Structures are given as structure tokens and as C-alpha cells.
Amino acid sequence: MEIPPELVGKLRSARRVAVLTGAGVSAESGVPTFRQAQSGLWARYDPQSLATATAFKANPRLVWEWYAWRRNLVAQAAPNPGHYALVVLEHRIPEFCLITQNVDGLHQRAGSHNIIELHGNIQRSKCFDEHTVIESWEEQTDIPPHCPHCGGMLRPDVVWFGENLPPEALEAAREAVEHCELFFTIGTSGIVEPAASLPSLALQAGAVVVEINPQTTPQTRLASYILRGPSGVLLPELVARAWPNFP
Ligand code: BJW
């Protein structure tokens, strides 16, 4: 698709840019989006009802195994050209902030550094009772494994429905959004709060909002520029237009 030259000019001259990413950014890495039909063994489960503390309490083994399956999928995936284009933006824009809802760690693996993780990361676990974060653990005979400190159950270190986001992460994200000139919402369905309110916060603070997504979302109406298509194609194209000589 034709990238609007006006947008290219705005990106090239921008000093403060904030980007919100969602599961669509990892779709071209082979990681299913959150609301995409799950495959194989997990096809009959609704992700929205597994990603809750209530589901974990009712059936900790089932929820742990779902996350173990996803962790394995992510471990086998690699960042795609969209992730790498965002690394280039971090190098080119004086104040660049990447806010992600993704829990897959692919932005970090691509080489992005200034990242705010709103919903945690599935490569870490934490104690269900005491919230102590555990970076590595043995997959024991017991599923879920036990906390090495108190013996309680481990759970993934992600934010489930009904739980608060890490307050420092949310605060830092709002701060970046309120101070950016250009705000990108990329690969997110824009229905999960409070992340879904960041585009309107950006607009209220005077930023130009850009959406990159193959589908319409509730935030489309806020966007001055809409790039309809996959981020793994459109982001590299946008970056190449803005900085044709960048390696
Ligand atoms: C492509 C593409 C390609 C495809 N290129 N794009 C206000 C009103 C109503 C409800 C609430 C409210 N405030 C809070 C709530 C409750 C709730 C909520 O928002 N519910 C909604 C369902 C309505 N929010 C919460 O509970 C949050 N906590 C909270 O607010 O605490 C305070 C509070 C508590 C209780 C009551 C009230 C207040 C916590 C939210 C935590 C979300 N956690 C999850 C799970 C993480 C762990 C895991 O992965 O298992 O985070 S849910 C899931 O959704 C995951 C994602 O990060 C998140 C967003 O999904 P995302 O990334 O947008 O993915 P998809 O699949 O939805 O969309 C993919 C998009 O990609 C699509 O648009 C495609 O078109 C596109 N795409 N291919 C670019 N190649």
C-alpha cells in the first residue's frame, strides 16, 4: 500500500514517539494472536476464560499447561521484520518509547531496549500466594511447580483479567503517551483496558495517532493515518521511506 508521504515527513522529523503494540505484531512470527482461534489441543478453550485467577484456582494444572504450550511456541518463534523496524525507530528517534501488551519477549529478542511491558512476560513465573518473581524453575513432576521459597504454586508472571497492571509500568506508559508528538497503535484489537485508552489519551494530549492493523478497531476513528495491512510489511516500508539510507 502507498504510505502517505506526509506521515513519512512527520516520522522523520519527530522527536518524541510512543508506540503501543499488541499480539498482531507477533502474528508474522507464527505466534497466534490472543483472540485468534487456538489450534490443536487448545482449540476448544476460550483464552479469555483461561487468563484469569479464577480459572487458575479452579484448575491450576490446565492453566499452567496452556502457558507451558505457549512458552514453547514463543521459544521456537523468531522476531519478524516489524519487530526489527521498531528497533530502527528506537535508534532514529531522540525520545522513543515502546509500550507492549505482548508477553512473548520478541521485542527484546529483536533488540529493542526502551520497553514497557504492560501485561508481564510468560518467560517468568511468580508465586501465586506471595508474588515473588521466579526467573527459572524446574518443570517438576508437580504441575504447576512449587515456589522455591514458600512451597506455594507458581503461576505465569502475566496480568490476568481483573488484576491490576504493574503500577510503575502503567504510569510510565501514560507519561510517554502524554508527551509524544506521534503515537502508533499497532497490531492490537484495542478492546482490553487500560491499554485500549492510550490512543485517546495521546489524541487528547495533542499527538497525531497512527494505526497499523489489517482490521478496523475501536481506535480507528482516532487515527489521522491508517495503514491497513500486516505490520511485518508496513513497518519496514515506513522506516525505509523515512530513512532510505539506514542499513
Ligand atoms: C495484525 C496482524 C499483523 C493480526 N499485523 N496486526 C473498562 C471497561 C470494561 C472492562 C474493563 C474496563 N477496565 C478494566 C476492565 C476489565 C478488563 C478488560 O479490559 N476487559 C475487556 C475484555 C473489556 N481489564 C482488566 O481486567 C485489566 N485490569 C484492570 O483494568 O485492573 C483494574 C480493574 C480490575 C477489575 C475491574 C476493573 C478494573 C487487566 C487486563 C489484562 C489483560 N491480559 C491479557 C492476558 C495476558 C496474558 C496472556 O497472554 O495470556 O493480555 S488479555 C489479552 O488481551 C492479552 C493481550 O495483551 C490483550 C490485548 O490483546 P491484543 O494484543 O489486542 O490481541 P488481540 O488478539 O485481541 O488482537 C490482535 C490484533 O492484531 C487484531 O486487531 C488483528 O487484526 C491484528 N493483527 N495480524 C498487524 N500481521
Side-chain angles (χ1 to χ4, degrees):
M1 81 164 275
E2 174 67 24
I3 308 261
E6 215 181 70
L7 171 61
V8 173
K10 282 189 196 302
L11 180 62
R12 197 183 291 131
S13 61
R15 299 198 59 78
R16 294 182 305 278
V17 173
V19 172
L20 172 69
T21 62
V25 166
S26 297
E28 289 150 275
S29 295
V31 180
T33 64
F34 193 77
R35 284 167 183 79
Q36 205 169 29
Q38 307 288 293
S39 56
L41 274 180
W42 296 100
R44 65 197 171 92
Y45 293 97
D46 170 17
Q48 204 146 305
S49 53
L50 288 176
T52 66
T54 310
F56 185 79
K57 277 190 257 182
N59 194 341
R61 184 184 186 102
L62 177 81
V63 174
W64 180 269
E65 285 182 336
W66 182 50
Y67 280 97
W69 173 73
R70 289 175 57 200
R71 253 196 313 275
N72 189 37
L73 226 150
V74 164
Q76 290 172 29
N80 67 59
H83 293 106
Y84 290 114
L86 291 170
V87 180
V88 176
L89 284 189
E90 183 172 306
H91 291 140
R92 302 306 299 185
I93 308 282
E95 288 179 46
F96 179 80
C97 181
L98 178 53
I99 304 160
T100 190
Q101 298 169 84
N102 296 348
V103 296
D104 58 28
L106 287 175
H107 286 305
Q108 288 88 335
R109 282 168 58 193
S112 287
H113 288 106
N114 192 10
I115 306 176
I116 298 172
E117 286 184 326
L118 290 179
H119 294 162
N121 192 307
I122 53 167
Q123 303 300 351
R124 296 186 304 261
S125 288
K126 64 180 180 185
C127 173
F128 186 78
D129 298 320
E130 297 179 347
H131 312 291
T132 319
V133 173
I134 311 289
E135 299 282 349
S136 63
W137 60 91
E138 297 282 319
E139 290 291 343
Q140 303 153 344
T141 38
D142 291 334
I143 302 174
H146 295 293
C147 169
H149 303 291
C150 73
M153 281 189 290
L154 290 187
R155 56 161 282 182
D157 185 15
V158 296
V159 182
W160 282 330
F161 287 110
E163 296 182 330
N164 286 315
L165 276 64
E168 326 74 52
L170 185 57
E171 191 46 43
R174 287 185 170 141
E175 170 85 16
V177 170
E178 279 172 341
H179 291 97
C180 69
E181 305 151 48
L182 205 49
F183 177 85
F184 287 83
T185 173
I186 310 174
T188 174
S189 56
I191 54 177
V192 176
E193 295 289 355
S197 293
L198 294 176
S200 60
L201 184 64
L203 191 66
Q204 279 162 27
V208 169
V209 174
V210 184
E211 180 176 77
I212 304 181
N213 197 313
Q215 306 288 332
T216 301
T217 74
Q219 281 73 38
T220 300
R221 65 190 168 82
L222 307 173
S224 299
Y225 299 96
I226 299 155
L227 306 185
R228 278 277 161 264
S231 51
V233 173
L234 293 173
L235 269 171
E237 206 172 312
L238 177 63
V239 167
R241 294 279 168 84
W243 295 283
N245 300 321
F246 197 81

